mmCIF file of all heavy atoms in Angstrom:
data_model
loop_
_atom_site.group_PDB
_atom_site.id
_atom_site.type_symbol
_atom_site.label_atom_id
_atom_site.label_comp_id
_atom_site.label_asym_id
_atom_site.label_seq_id
_atom_site.Cartn_x
_atom_site.Cartn_y
_atom_site.Cartn_z
ATOM 1 N N GLY A 473 12.511 -12.321 0.501
ATOM 2 C CA GLY A 473 13.333 -11.365 1.260
ATOM 3 C C GLY A 473 14.329 -12.049 2.161
ATOM 4 O O GLY A 473 14.814 -11.445 3.125
ATOM 5 N N PHE A 474 14.662 -13.328 1.863
ATOM 6 C CA PHE A 474 15.680 -14.040 2.632
ATOM 7 C C PHE A 474 16.743 -14.551 1.656
ATOM 8 O O PHE A 474 16.432 -15.218 0.669
ATOM 9 C CB PHE A 474 15.058 -15.211 3.385
ATOM 10 C CG PHE A 474 16.075 -16.030 4.168
ATOM 11 C CD1 PHE A 474 16.635 -15.501 5.331
ATOM 12 C CD2 PHE A 474 16.433 -17.295 3.765
ATOM 13 C CE1 PHE A 474 17.565 -16.267 6.056
ATOM 14 C CE2 PHE A 474 17.339 -18.046 4.470
ATOM 15 C CZ PHE A 474 17.922 -17.523 5.624
ATOM 16 N N ASP A 475 17.990 -14.208 1.925
ATOM 17 C CA ASP A 475 19.104 -14.629 1.078
ATOM 18 C C ASP A 475 19.658 -15.946 1.616
ATOM 19 O O ASP A 475 20.328 -15.981 2.668
ATOM 20 C CB ASP A 475 20.202 -13.550 1.088
ATOM 21 C CG ASP A 475 21.349 -13.852 0.132
ATOM 22 O OD1 ASP A 475 21.502 -15.027 -0.248
ATOM 23 O OD2 ASP A 475 22.074 -12.919 -0.231
ATOM 24 N N LYS A 476 19.417 -17.042 0.925
ATOM 25 C CA LYS A 476 19.815 -18.336 1.413
ATOM 26 C C LYS A 476 21.327 -18.526 1.370
ATOM 27 O O LYS A 476 21.876 -19.379 2.075
ATOM 28 C CB LYS A 476 19.136 -19.453 0.626
ATOM 29 C CG LYS A 476 19.466 -19.515 -0.854
ATOM 30 C CD LYS A 476 18.673 -20.609 -1.537
ATOM 31 C CE LYS A 476 18.942 -20.686 -3.020
ATOM 32 N NZ LYS A 476 18.136 -21.722 -3.692
ATOM 33 N N HIS A 477 22.034 -17.763 0.542
ATOM 34 C CA HIS A 477 23.493 -17.894 0.435
ATOM 35 C C HIS A 477 24.195 -17.301 1.649
ATOM 36 O O HIS A 477 25.181 -17.871 2.129
ATOM 37 C CB HIS A 477 23.984 -17.250 -0.841
ATOM 38 C CG HIS A 477 23.387 -17.821 -2.093
ATOM 39 N ND1 HIS A 477 23.625 -19.114 -2.516
ATOM 40 C CD2 HIS A 477 22.504 -17.288 -3.017
ATOM 41 C CE1 HIS A 477 22.948 -19.365 -3.616
ATOM 42 N NE2 HIS A 477 22.272 -18.277 -3.942
ATOM 43 N N SER A 478 23.672 -16.183 2.136
ATOM 44 C CA SER A 478 24.283 -15.549 3.308
ATOM 45 C C SER A 478 23.492 -15.847 4.598
ATOM 46 O O SER A 478 23.901 -15.435 5.693
ATOM 47 C CB SER A 478 24.353 -14.037 3.113
ATOM 48 O OG SER A 478 23.056 -13.467 2.990
ATOM 49 N N SER A 479 22.386 -16.570 4.463
ATOM 50 C CA SER A 479 21.499 -16.888 5.615
ATOM 51 C C SER A 479 21.088 -15.643 6.366
ATOM 52 O O SER A 479 21.171 -15.580 7.578
ATOM 53 C CB SER A 479 22.177 -17.890 6.543
ATOM 54 O OG SER A 479 22.403 -19.111 5.882
ATOM 55 N N SER A 480 20.682 -14.620 5.616
ATOM 56 C CA SER A 480 20.308 -13.350 6.244
ATOM 57 C C SER A 480 19.083 -12.765 5.570
ATOM 58 O O SER A 480 18.789 -13.063 4.396
ATOM 59 C CB SER A 480 21.471 -12.361 6.202
ATOM 60 O OG SER A 480 21.781 -12.063 4.853
ATOM 61 N N ILE A 481 18.370 -11.916 6.296
ATOM 62 C CA ILE A 481 17.210 -11.234 5.762
ATOM 63 C C ILE A 481 17.693 -10.117 4.835
ATOM 64 O O ILE A 481 18.518 -9.297 5.234
ATOM 65 C CB ILE A 481 16.332 -10.668 6.888
ATOM 66 C CG1 ILE A 481 15.727 -11.837 7.700
ATOM 67 C CG2 ILE A 481 15.238 -9.770 6.357
ATOM 68 C CD1 ILE A 481 14.986 -11.423 8.952
ATOM 69 N N SER A 482 17.194 -10.099 3.618
ATOM 70 C CA SER A 482 17.649 -9.113 2.631
ATOM 71 C C SER A 482 16.628 -8.011 2.368
ATOM 72 O O SER A 482 16.911 -7.058 1.668
ATOM 73 C CB SER A 482 17.961 -9.815 1.304
ATOM 74 O OG SER A 482 16.831 -10.533 0.835
ATOM 75 N N ALA A 483 15.396 -8.144 2.949
ATOM 76 C CA ALA A 483 14.376 -7.125 2.730
ATOM 77 C C ALA A 483 13.544 -6.977 4.005
ATOM 78 O O ALA A 483 13.065 -7.959 4.571
ATOM 79 C CB ALA A 483 13.463 -7.488 1.559
ATOM 80 N N ALA A 484 13.376 -5.732 4.437
ATOM 81 C CA ALA A 484 12.606 -5.462 5.646
ATOM 82 C C ALA A 484 11.141 -5.881 5.488
ATOM 83 O O ALA A 484 10.458 -6.151 6.481
ATOM 84 C CB ALA A 484 12.707 -3.992 6.018
ATOM 85 N N THR A 485 10.680 -5.918 4.236
ATOM 86 C CA THR A 485 9.278 -6.286 3.970
ATOM 87 C C THR A 485 9.154 -7.778 3.676
ATOM 88 O O THR A 485 8.144 -8.216 3.142
ATOM 89 C CB THR A 485 8.736 -5.501 2.773
ATOM 90 O OG1 THR A 485 9.600 -5.711 1.638
ATOM 91 C CG2 THR A 485 8.668 -4.012 3.085
ATOM 92 N N GLY A 486 10.169 -8.562 4.018
ATOM 93 C CA GLY A 486 10.171 -9.986 3.719
ATOM 94 C C GLY A 486 9.065 -10.749 4.419
ATOM 95 O O GLY A 486 8.478 -10.259 5.408
ATOM 96 N N ALA A 487 8.753 -11.955 3.909
ATOM 97 C CA ALA A 487 7.665 -12.732 4.470
ATOM 98 C C ALA A 487 7.795 -14.198 4.064
ATOM 99 O O ALA A 487 8.454 -14.553 3.064
ATOM 100 C CB ALA A 487 6.308 -12.192 3.978
ATOM 101 N N ILE A 488 7.183 -15.049 4.855
ATOM 102 C CA ILE A 488 6.929 -16.438 4.485
ATOM 103 C C ILE A 488 5.607 -16.432 3.729
ATOM 104 O O ILE A 488 4.604 -15.959 4.244
ATOM 105 C CB ILE A 488 6.846 -17.344 5.707
ATOM 106 C CG1 ILE A 488 8.154 -17.297 6.509
ATOM 107 C CG2 ILE A 488 6.512 -18.764 5.324
ATOM 108 C CD1 ILE A 488 8.052 -17.983 7.879
ATOM 109 N N VAL A 489 5.587 -16.938 2.499
ATOM 110 C CA VAL A 489 4.376 -16.858 1.689
ATOM 111 C C VAL A 489 3.993 -18.234 1.147
ATOM 112 O O VAL A 489 4.857 -19.091 0.893
ATOM 113 C CB VAL A 489 4.514 -15.845 0.524
ATOM 114 C CG1 VAL A 489 4.834 -14.459 1.040
ATOM 115 C CG2 VAL A 489 5.560 -16.295 -0.476
ATOM 116 N N LEU A 490 2.701 -18.432 0.960
ATOM 117 C CA LEU A 490 2.166 -19.571 0.250
ATOM 118 C C LEU A 490 1.596 -19.057 -1.071
ATOM 119 O O LEU A 490 0.685 -18.232 -1.082
ATOM 120 C CB LEU A 490 1.063 -20.252 1.046
ATOM 121 C CG LEU A 490 1.457 -21.163 2.226
ATOM 122 C CD1 LEU A 490 0.221 -21.596 2.996
ATOM 123 C CD2 LEU A 490 2.229 -22.365 1.715
ATOM 124 N N LEU A 491 2.148 -19.559 -2.192
ATOM 125 C CA LEU A 491 1.733 -19.118 -3.511
ATOM 126 C C LEU A 491 0.949 -20.209 -4.210
ATOM 127 O O LEU A 491 1.313 -21.387 -4.134
ATOM 128 C CB LEU A 491 2.948 -18.742 -4.369
ATOM 129 C CG LEU A 491 3.797 -17.558 -3.909
ATOM 130 C CD1 LEU A 491 5.017 -17.414 -4.831
ATOM 131 C CD2 LEU A 491 3.011 -16.277 -3.895
ATOM 132 N N ASP A 492 -0.128 -19.811 -4.935
ATOM 133 C CA ASP A 492 -0.830 -20.807 -5.740
ATOM 134 C C ASP A 492 -0.179 -20.877 -7.123
ATOM 135 O O ASP A 492 0.826 -20.199 -7.408
ATOM 136 C CB ASP A 492 -2.316 -20.526 -5.794
ATOM 137 C CG ASP A 492 -2.695 -19.249 -6.513
ATOM 138 O OD1 ASP A 492 -1.843 -18.703 -7.257
ATOM 139 O OD2 ASP A 492 -3.855 -18.794 -6.367
ATOM 140 N N ARG A 493 -0.780 -21.673 -8.010
ATOM 141 C CA ARG A 493 -0.163 -21.895 -9.322
ATOM 142 C C ARG A 493 -0.199 -20.647 -10.209
ATOM 143 O O ARG A 493 0.502 -20.563 -11.217
ATOM 144 C CB ARG A 493 -0.855 -23.062 -10.027
ATOM 145 C CG ARG A 493 -0.455 -24.413 -9.428
ATOM 146 C CD ARG A 493 -1.246 -25.561 -9.997
ATOM 147 N NE ARG A 493 -2.648 -25.518 -9.561
ATOM 148 C CZ ARG A 493 -3.536 -26.469 -9.802
ATOM 149 N NH1 ARG A 493 -3.167 -27.562 -10.476
ATOM 150 N NH2 ARG A 493 -4.767 -26.384 -9.373
ATOM 151 N N ASN A 494 -1.009 -19.649 -9.821
ATOM 152 C CA ASN A 494 -1.052 -18.381 -10.555
ATOM 153 C C ASN A 494 -0.223 -17.296 -9.878
ATOM 154 O O ASN A 494 -0.376 -16.109 -10.175
ATOM 155 C CB ASN A 494 -2.515 -17.915 -10.721
ATOM 156 C CG ASN A 494 -3.342 -18.901 -11.520
ATOM 157 O OD1 ASN A 494 -2.900 -19.392 -12.540
ATOM 158 N ND2 ASN A 494 -4.540 -19.185 -11.022
ATOM 159 N N ASP A 495 0.624 -17.715 -8.928
ATOM 160 C CA ASP A 495 1.478 -16.814 -8.158
ATOM 161 C C ASP A 495 0.683 -15.827 -7.308
ATOM 162 O O ASP A 495 1.142 -14.759 -6.969
ATOM 163 C CB ASP A 495 2.466 -16.048 -9.051
ATOM 164 C CG ASP A 495 3.608 -16.932 -9.530
ATOM 165 O OD1 ASP A 495 3.883 -17.936 -8.851
ATOM 166 O OD2 ASP A 495 4.202 -16.626 -10.559
ATOM 167 N N ARG A 496 -0.544 -16.208 -6.979
ATOM 168 C CA ARG A 496 -1.336 -15.402 -6.063
ATOM 169 C C ARG A 496 -0.959 -15.798 -4.631
ATOM 170 O O ARG A 496 -0.758 -16.978 -4.328
ATOM 171 C CB ARG A 496 -2.828 -15.658 -6.295
ATOM 172 C CG ARG A 496 -3.746 -14.805 -5.422
ATOM 173 C CD ARG A 496 -5.216 -15.188 -5.624
ATOM 174 N NE ARG A 496 -6.096 -14.266 -4.927
ATOM 175 C CZ ARG A 496 -7.410 -14.443 -4.815
ATOM 176 N NH1 ARG A 496 -7.991 -15.491 -5.412
ATOM 177 N NH2 ARG A 496 -8.143 -13.581 -4.168
ATOM 178 N N VAL A 497 -0.852 -14.796 -3.747
ATOM 179 C CA VAL A 497 -0.517 -15.072 -2.349
ATOM 180 C C VAL A 497 -1.739 -15.609 -1.620
ATOM 181 O O VAL A 497 -2.692 -14.863 -1.365
ATOM 182 C CB VAL A 497 0.053 -13.827 -1.651
ATOM 183 C CG1 VAL A 497 0.376 -14.138 -0.198
ATOM 184 C CG2 VAL A 497 1.308 -13.320 -2.369
ATOM 185 N N ALA A 498 -1.710 -16.862 -1.297
ATOM 186 C CA ALA A 498 -2.834 -17.473 -0.568
ATOM 187 C C ALA A 498 -2.789 -17.116 0.921
ATOM 188 O O ALA A 498 -3.830 -16.869 1.547
ATOM 189 C CB ALA A 498 -2.795 -19.003 -0.730
ATOM 190 N N ALA A 499 -1.591 -17.060 1.487
ATOM 191 C CA ALA A 499 -1.395 -16.687 2.882
ATOM 192 C C ALA A 499 0.043 -16.265 3.074
ATOM 193 O O ALA A 499 0.935 -16.736 2.345
ATOM 194 C CB ALA A 499 -1.736 -17.846 3.814
ATOM 195 N N SER A 500 0.272 -15.373 4.016
ATOM 196 C CA SER A 500 1.658 -14.938 4.266
ATOM 197 C C SER A 500 1.823 -14.524 5.706
ATOM 198 O O SER A 500 0.852 -14.114 6.385
ATOM 199 C CB SER A 500 2.045 -13.785 3.349
ATOM 200 O OG SER A 500 1.302 -12.611 3.608
ATOM 201 N N TRP A 501 3.039 -14.632 6.179
ATOM 202 C CA TRP A 501 3.437 -14.214 7.530
ATOM 203 C C TRP A 501 4.642 -13.284 7.378
ATOM 204 O O TRP A 501 5.710 -13.711 6.939
ATOM 205 C CB TRP A 501 3.852 -15.415 8.374
ATOM 206 C CG TRP A 501 2.771 -16.412 8.640
ATOM 207 C CD1 TRP A 501 2.022 -16.565 9.773
ATOM 208 C CD2 TRP A 501 2.338 -17.451 7.739
ATOM 209 N NE1 TRP A 501 1.152 -17.623 9.643
ATOM 210 C CE2 TRP A 501 1.307 -18.184 8.410
ATOM 211 C CE3 TRP A 501 2.698 -17.840 6.449
ATOM 212 C CZ2 TRP A 501 0.657 -19.259 7.827
ATOM 213 C CZ3 TRP A 501 2.038 -18.905 5.858
ATOM 214 C CH2 TRP A 501 1.039 -19.603 6.531
ATOM 215 N N SER A 502 4.477 -12.020 7.709
ATOM 216 C CA SER A 502 5.590 -11.083 7.557
ATOM 217 C C SER A 502 6.699 -11.397 8.566
ATOM 218 O O SER A 502 6.427 -11.816 9.682
ATOM 219 C CB SER A 502 5.097 -9.646 7.759
ATOM 220 O OG SER A 502 4.695 -9.428 9.105
ATOM 221 N N PHE A 503 7.941 -11.193 8.133
ATOM 222 C CA PHE A 503 9.066 -11.347 9.060
ATOM 223 C C PHE A 503 8.891 -10.460 10.288
ATOM 224 O O PHE A 503 9.218 -10.858 11.406
ATOM 225 C CB PHE A 503 10.397 -11.026 8.356
ATOM 226 C CG PHE A 503 10.796 -12.000 7.313
ATOM 227 C CD1 PHE A 503 11.828 -11.718 6.409
ATOM 228 C CD2 PHE A 503 10.174 -13.230 7.172
ATOM 229 C CE1 PHE A 503 12.219 -12.617 5.430
ATOM 230 C CE2 PHE A 503 10.537 -14.153 6.175
ATOM 231 C CZ PHE A 503 11.579 -13.828 5.300
ATOM 232 N N ALA A 504 8.372 -9.247 10.053
ATOM 233 C CA ALA A 504 8.204 -8.294 11.166
ATOM 234 C C ALA A 504 7.303 -8.890 12.245
ATOM 235 O O ALA A 504 7.515 -8.675 13.440
ATOM 236 C CB ALA A 504 7.644 -6.982 10.636
ATOM 237 N N LYS A 505 6.250 -9.629 11.820
ATOM 238 C CA LYS A 505 5.328 -10.243 12.767
ATOM 239 C C LYS A 505 6.014 -11.369 13.555
ATOM 240 O O LYS A 505 5.792 -11.532 14.763
ATOM 241 C CB LYS A 505 4.109 -10.802 12.028
ATOM 242 C CG LYS A 505 3.165 -11.646 12.901
ATOM 243 C CD LYS A 505 2.110 -12.298 12.008
ATOM 244 C CE LYS A 505 1.245 -13.294 12.818
ATOM 245 N NZ LYS A 505 0.245 -12.646 13.658
ATOM 246 N N LEU A 506 6.880 -12.126 12.863
ATOM 247 C CA LEU A 506 7.409 -13.335 13.460
ATOM 248 C C LEU A 506 8.701 -13.138 14.270
ATOM 249 O O LEU A 506 8.957 -13.872 15.208
ATOM 250 C CB LEU A 506 7.686 -14.367 12.363
ATOM 251 C CG LEU A 506 6.448 -14.843 11.564
ATOM 252 C CD1 LEU A 506 6.888 -15.807 10.482
ATOM 253 C CD2 LEU A 506 5.431 -15.481 12.487
ATOM 254 N N ILE A 507 9.502 -12.124 13.883
ATOM 255 C CA ILE A 507 10.804 -11.948 14.530
ATOM 256 C C ILE A 507 10.679 -11.775 16.030
ATOM 257 O O ILE A 507 11.326 -12.461 16.828
ATOM 258 C CB ILE A 507 11.573 -10.758 13.905
ATOM 259 C CG1 ILE A 507 12.095 -11.131 12.520
ATOM 260 C CG2 ILE A 507 12.731 -10.336 14.787
ATOM 261 C CD1 ILE A 507 12.714 -9.958 11.758
ATOM 262 N N ASP A 508 9.842 -10.817 16.440
ATOM 263 C CA ASP A 508 9.705 -10.533 17.873
ATOM 264 C C ASP A 508 9.124 -11.731 18.611
ATOM 265 O O ASP A 508 9.584 -12.087 19.689
ATOM 266 C CB ASP A 508 8.829 -9.283 18.060
ATOM 267 C CG ASP A 508 8.739 -8.869 19.523
ATOM 268 O OD1 ASP A 508 9.787 -8.636 20.124
ATOM 269 O OD2 ASP A 508 7.607 -8.787 20.042
ATOM 270 N N HIS A 509 8.125 -12.378 17.996
ATOM 271 C CA HIS A 509 7.509 -13.562 18.598
ATOM 272 C C HIS A 509 8.549 -14.654 18.827
ATOM 273 O O HIS A 509 8.614 -15.245 19.909
ATOM 274 C CB HIS A 509 6.408 -14.043 17.674
ATOM 275 C CG HIS A 509 5.744 -15.312 18.137
ATOM 276 N ND1 HIS A 509 4.560 -15.322 18.865
ATOM 277 C CD2 HIS A 509 6.088 -16.619 18.005
ATOM 278 C CE1 HIS A 509 4.235 -16.546 19.144
ATOM 279 N NE2 HIS A 509 5.125 -17.362 18.631
ATOM 280 N N TRP A 510 9.366 -14.902 17.817
ATOM 281 C CA TRP A 510 10.361 -15.974 17.934
ATOM 282 C C TRP A 510 11.413 -15.691 19.002
ATOM 283 O O TRP A 510 11.698 -16.540 19.844
ATOM 284 C CB TRP A 510 11.039 -16.185 16.563
ATOM 285 C CG TRP A 510 12.132 -17.208 16.624
ATOM 286 C CD1 TRP A 510 13.472 -17.001 16.624
ATOM 287 C CD2 TRP A 510 11.955 -18.635 16.765
ATOM 288 N NE1 TRP A 510 14.150 -18.183 16.737
ATOM 289 C CE2 TRP A 510 13.245 -19.199 16.804
ATOM 290 C CE3 TRP A 510 10.841 -19.466 16.841
ATOM 291 C CZ2 TRP A 510 13.440 -20.576 16.934
ATOM 292 C CZ3 TRP A 510 11.032 -20.836 16.943
ATOM 293 C CH2 TRP A 510 12.313 -21.378 16.993
ATOM 294 N N LYS A 511 11.958 -14.490 18.970
ATOM 295 C CA LYS A 511 13.016 -14.154 19.940
ATOM 296 C C LYS A 511 12.469 -14.139 21.369
ATOM 297 O O LYS A 511 13.154 -14.562 22.306
ATOM 298 C CB LYS A 511 13.635 -12.814 19.609
ATOM 299 C CG LYS A 511 14.504 -12.832 18.346
ATOM 300 C CD LYS A 511 15.034 -11.467 17.999
ATOM 301 C CE LYS A 511 16.015 -10.971 19.035
ATOM 302 N NZ LYS A 511 16.605 -9.660 18.682
ATOM 303 N N ARG A 512 11.250 -13.638 21.542
ATOM 304 C CA ARG A 512 10.675 -13.552 22.880
ATOM 305 C C ARG A 512 10.346 -14.928 23.426
ATOM 306 O O ARG A 512 10.570 -15.219 24.600
ATOM 307 C CB ARG A 512 9.437 -12.662 22.840
ATOM 308 C CG ARG A 512 8.852 -12.351 24.229
ATOM 309 C CD ARG A 512 7.830 -11.240 24.146
ATOM 310 N NE ARG A 512 6.644 -11.626 23.380
ATOM 311 C CZ ARG A 512 6.304 -11.062 22.226
ATOM 312 N NH1 ARG A 512 7.045 -10.118 21.694
ATOM 313 N NH2 ARG A 512 5.224 -11.460 21.594
#
């Protein structure tokens, strides 16, 4: 959910994710969780 070409968030449900070799989400941090924390 992050567009690296425009350096902008492209999806409200975006997240930082860790994927295993089967594309299973091992852990994730939603942008919604991190945005307020970072700015504050």
Side-chain angles (χ1 to χ4, degrees):
F474 178 72
D475 186 340
K476 63 182 179 182
H477 301 293
S478 62
S479 296
S480 62
I481 294 172
S482 57
T485 55
I488 300 169
V489 301
L490 282 173
L491 296 176
D492 66 16
R493 286 174 290 187
N494 298 316
D495 285 337
R496 183 184 187 187
V497 178
S500 67
W501 297 258
S502 67
F503 292 168
K505 172 188 173 77
L506 298 178
I507 286 173
D508 185 56
H509 177 96
W510 176 255
K511 289 177 67 178
R512 187 167 65 245

